[in-house]
């Protein structure tokens, strides 16, 4: 596999990055855009008001010798206020996704009806959830889709906790809807996390999120076992946690159609001017990549 072009640029390995770009162009039988390889410092505004990749890579190369000497850790992601909020938000989201995902799988045996049919259905429901994610991820955006599926799964689980006895089929249906939402969230959160964190801290950020997710995986069987105390209790806990996480995701910036941040400085400013911007873009059913549209949105 070729190395990431963005990562090579962030490490100052510009010649290696150019070779990757040329290989990509050759395989796809396209011409390399000149602006990808030019060494200039022209400031091109992006969706969120930060500088474009062309300008950012020059800054990265110029400071590379000093910055890369220090080891990058998750502590660096917690030093600035915006990145700190986003990092903890993603930590919680990953933990919830893992807890609810494995918790619903473990809880399938207590739903009533045939335990084998319930378990098989709980597994098969993931297929349409991934298809749904694929179809809407670029249309609704990362943030919108992730928040929607978390709220969908959470509300379904929460409501199923109040279904009276004798309606086991309805509990099973709502639980499957909850698994649909959380399985889709589990797929989306990988993509969204990789785009939220800057290039130079992407592996650190995603790895730390994955570590927090294991906490949810450890707790999941214990939450599912609470059905012995009160049968609807696991579903109520899963529903509440999913709803809370879905609401918190709203406070994160959208990444679809944006120039992704490469440094912590860019990440700190990333998404600071998206509220009016994205409201206008989605109202016009457009993607948000051009500075001209940004000016029109501000005027509107």
């Amino acid at each position: 596999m070729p190395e990431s072009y963005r990562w090579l640029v962030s490490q100052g390995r510009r010649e290696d990055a150019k070779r990757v770009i040329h290989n990509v162009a050759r395989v796809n039988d396209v011409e390399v855009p000149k602006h990808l390889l030019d060494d200039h410092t022209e400031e091109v505004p992006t969706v969120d008001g930060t500088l474009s990749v062309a300008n950012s890579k020059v800054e990265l190369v110029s400071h590379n010798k000093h910055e890369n000497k220090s080891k990058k850790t998750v502590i660096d992601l917690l030093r600035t206020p915006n990145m700190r909020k986003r990092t903890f938000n993603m930590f919680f989201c990953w933990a919830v996704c893992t807890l609810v995902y494995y918790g619903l799988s473990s809880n399938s045996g207590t739903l009533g009806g045939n335990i084998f049919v319930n378990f098989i259905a709980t597994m098969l429901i993931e297929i349409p959830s991934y298809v749904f994610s694929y179809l809407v991820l670029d249309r609704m955006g990362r943030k919108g889709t992730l928040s929607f599926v978390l709220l969908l799964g959470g509300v379904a689980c929460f409501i199923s906790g109040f279904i009276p006895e004798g309606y086991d089929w309805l509990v099973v249906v709502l639980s499957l809807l909850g698994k649909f939402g959380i399985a889709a969230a589990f797929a989306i959160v990988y993509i969204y996390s990789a785009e939220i964190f800057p290039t130079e801290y992407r592996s650190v950020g995603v790895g730390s999120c994955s570590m927090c997710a294991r906490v949810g995986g450890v707790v999941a069987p214990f939450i599912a076992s609470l059905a012995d105390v009160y049968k609807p209790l696991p579903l109520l806990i899963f529903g509440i946690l999913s709803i809370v996480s879905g609401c918190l995701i709203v406070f994160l910036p959208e990444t679809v159609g944006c120039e992704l941040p490469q440094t912590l400085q860019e990440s700190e400013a990333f998404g600071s001017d998206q509220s009016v911007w994205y409201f206008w873009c989605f109202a016009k059913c457009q993607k948000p990549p051009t500075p001209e549209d940004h000016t029109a949105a501000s005027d509107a």
Side-chain angles (χ1 to χ4, degrees):
M1 295 291 291
E3 187 55 82
S4 165
Y5 165 77
R6 286 178 174 270
W7 183 84
L8 289 172
V9 170
S10 71
Q11 301 300 306
R13 297 165 57 181
R14 296 182 55 78
E15 294 304 319
D16 293 336
K18 289 181 180 180
R19 278 193 291 271
V20 172
I21 288 294
H22 282 301
N23 288 335
V24 171
R26 177 177 53 80
V27 171
N28 290 280
D29 194 24
V30 296
E31 184 178 352
V32 181
K34 292 183 178 180
H35 72 273
L36 289 180
L37 305 178
D38 289 343
D39 296 330
H40 58 77
T41 57
E42 180 182 356
E43 296 186 0
V44 182
T46 59
V47 174
D48 58 339
T50 61
L51 303 182
S52 69
V53 174
N55 189 64
S56 301
K57 64 185 181 183
V58 174
E59 295 179 1
L60 283 169
V61 172
S62 62
H63 297 291
N64 179 67
K65 294 182 180 179
H66 300 286
E67 292 181 354
N68 289 336
K69 290 182 180 180
S70 59
K71 184 178 180 181
K72 295 175 175 58
T73 67
V74 68
I75 302 299
D76 298 331
L77 297 173
L78 307 178
R79 297 186 189 279
T80 54
N82 286 338
M83 281 307 301
R84 180 164 55 247
K85 295 174 186 176
R86 295 169 188 173
T87 300
F88 281 126
N89 199 335
M90 294 308 300
F91 285 174
F92 180 72
C93 181
W94 276 70
V96 168
C97 286
T98 310
L99 187 152
V100 178
Y101 179 88
Y102 290 112
L104 287 175
S105 299
S106 301
N107 194 58
S108 60
T110 64
L111 296 178
N114 191 305
I115 182 176
F116 301 104
V117 173
N118 291 345
F119 183 79
I120 293 172
T122 301
M123 298 299 107
L124 292 180
I125 197 65
E126 295 186 31
I127 298 175
S129 74
Y130 297 144
V131 175
F132 171 81
S133 301
Y134 170 77
L135 294 176
V136 305
L137 195 55
D138 287 335
R139 292 175 172 84
M140 291 179 60
R142 277 49 161 165
K143 177 175 73 172
T145 307
L146 181 57
S147 180
F148 171 76
V149 293
L150 283 170
L151 291 173
L152 174 67
V155 170
C157 289
F158 188 77
I159 293 176
S160 65
F162 294 97
I163 302 299
E165 294 185 6
Y167 293 89
D168 290 342
W169 64 271
L170 184 56
V171 175
V172 172
V173 170
L174 290 173
S175 297
L176 290 177
L177 187 59
K179 185 63 180 294
F180 175 94
I182 205 64
F186 215 151
I188 296 167
V189 76
Y190 277 93
I191 301 173
Y192 194 31
S193 299
E195 295 176 348
I196 282 287
F197 295 109
T199 301
E200 56 185 0
Y201 285 91
R202 190 155 294 146
S203 59
V204 174
V206 175
S208 301
C209 288
S210 183
M211 182 196 68
C212 293
R214 301 316 120 202
V215 176
V218 170
V219 176
F222 297 100
I223 300 296
S225 67
L226 293 177
D228 298 334
V229 179
Y230 179 56
K231 189 175 181 179
L233 186 56
L235 291 174
L236 292 175
I237 295 176
F238 297 150
I240 292 173
L241 290 175
S242 296
I243 292 172
V244 171
S245 183
C247 293
L248 291 176
I249 291 296
V250 175
F251 296 100
L252 295 174
E254 181 57 75
T255 58
V256 65
C258 297
E259 289 285 359
L260 300 181
Q262 297 200 65
T263 66
L264 283 177
Q265 292 76 17
E266 289 183 5
S267 292
E268 188 65 16
F270 183 72
S272 58
D273 191 25
Q274 283 191 358
S275 55
V276 176
W277 171 259
Y278 276 95
F279 174 80
W280 184 84
C281 288
F282 283 114
K284 296 292 185 180
C285 298
Q286 297 174 353
K287 285 189 176 181
T290 63
E292 290 77 10
D293 288 341
H294 180 67
T295 302
S298 300
D299 294 341

